[in-house]
Amino acid sequence: GGHYWIGDEFGPFLLHFGRSGKLLDPPFGLPGIHTEDNPLFTETANVPRSGGFEGMALDREKGVLYPMLEKALADSPGVLEIFAFDMASKQFLPVDNPAAVMRYPLDEGATSVGAFQYQGDGMFLTIERDREQGAAAHIKRVYRVKQGEVDEQGLLRKQLMVDLLQIGDATNLSGAAQNDVYAFAYETIESLLLMGIDRIGVVNDN
């Protein structure tokens, strides 16, 4: 028993695997959304290479996956699309359904979202970031959004939960604190783990 749903960055596709690693279904793609690496399309790509499904949240109660594009569509700069996939019917919900697509606005200077997790009660956490690291990094942030809470443009309203470049560290637990502050300033911070009501784990990809 057991199975896995994996988001692919290069189609993008959703891939459904069994525990043995066998692909259980043909890849699930979204009509009209593709990178230049997608073998099913020959027209001009509208998602940057490796800009497909990076973060993917799961609402277990609804049985819905929420795959999120890592990078913006060509015609929507600064906005990332979040889709809804029903695991029972194995179908993306129609994109003209307001409950099926959420639109996430990036901060100025941010380039991608590396992780997307469902927190419960319609709320999700993201890791938003730029491409820099070390002293050059300026956007490494954990935000919370809630499904249905949008501005006049239909974009999700964001609540800053953690600025990863301004983590209080008065005891120098990190071994790298400066002025009682630790900066988690890596380029590709890509994992977000829910570890309790008020605790998260944030992981760099290497």
Side-chain angles (χ1 to χ4, degrees):
H3 57 107
Y4 302 92
W5 288 94
I6 295 174
D8 160 73
E9 295 183 48
F10 294 94
F13 299 111
L14 284 187
L15 305 174
H16 188 203
F17 288 96
R19 287 180 65 92
S20 67
K22 179 181 179 181
L23 188 65
L24 300 179
D25 298 287
F28 297 95
L30 270 165
I33 295 181
H34 54 281
T35 76
E36 62 189 74
D37 300 292
N38 189 314
L40 304 181
F41 289 89
T42 56
E43 63 261 35
T44 303
N46 58 358
V47 181
R49 170 171 281 177
S50 187
F53 298 143
E54 174 79 19
M56 184 160 62
L58 167 63
D59 183 337
R60 293 182 185 275
E61 291 185 4
K62 292 182 181 178
V64 175
L65 290 167
Y66 293 94
M68 182 178 192
L69 293 180
E70 182 183 12
K71 299 174 184 174
L73 292 170
D75 61 356
S76 298
V79 176
L80 303 183
E81 310 288 335
I82 303 162
F83 302 95
F85 182 88
D86 180 76
M87 293 189 292
S89 63
K90 296 181 180 179
Q91 291 183 329
F92 283 98
L93 300 183
V95 295
D96 58 357
N97 177 348
V101 179
M102 293 181 277
R103 305 183 73 231
Y104 179 95
L106 289 170
D107 290 348
E108 185 175 354
T111 56
S112 61
V113 165
F116 188 54
Q117 288 282 6
Y118 185 62
Q119 196 178 24
D121 296 326
M123 293 183 292
F124 301 82
L125 295 177
T126 70
I127 296 177
E128 186 171 338
R129 65 186 197 222
D130 56 19
R131 290 194 181 98
E132 307 299 334
Q133 66 179 21
H138 61 284
I139 298 176
K140 312 291 180 187
R141 299 167 184 160
V142 177
Y143 280 108
R144 182 163 67 191
V145 296
K146 187 170 185 179
Q147 194 169 25
E149 290 194 357
V150 299
D151 64 14
E152 60 279 359
Q153 297 174 299
L155 303 177
L156 289 166
R157 297 186 185 276
K158 304 191 309 190
Q159 178 185 4
L160 180 64
M161 305 303 291
V162 184
D163 183 344
L164 296 173
L165 301 180
Q166 295 288 328
I167 300 172
D169 189 10
T171 62
N172 197 24
L173 182 66
S174 65
Q178 295 185 355
N179 299 319
D180 296 337
V181 171
Y182 171 61
F184 194 67
Y186 298 101
E187 178 183 357
T188 49
I189 304 169
E190 295 198 341
S191 293
L192 183 61
L193 310 175
L194 302 178
M195 303 175 69
I197 279 254
D198 58 357
R199 180 173 293 187
I200 60 173
V202 180
V203 186
N204 184 36
D205 83 338
N206 60 358

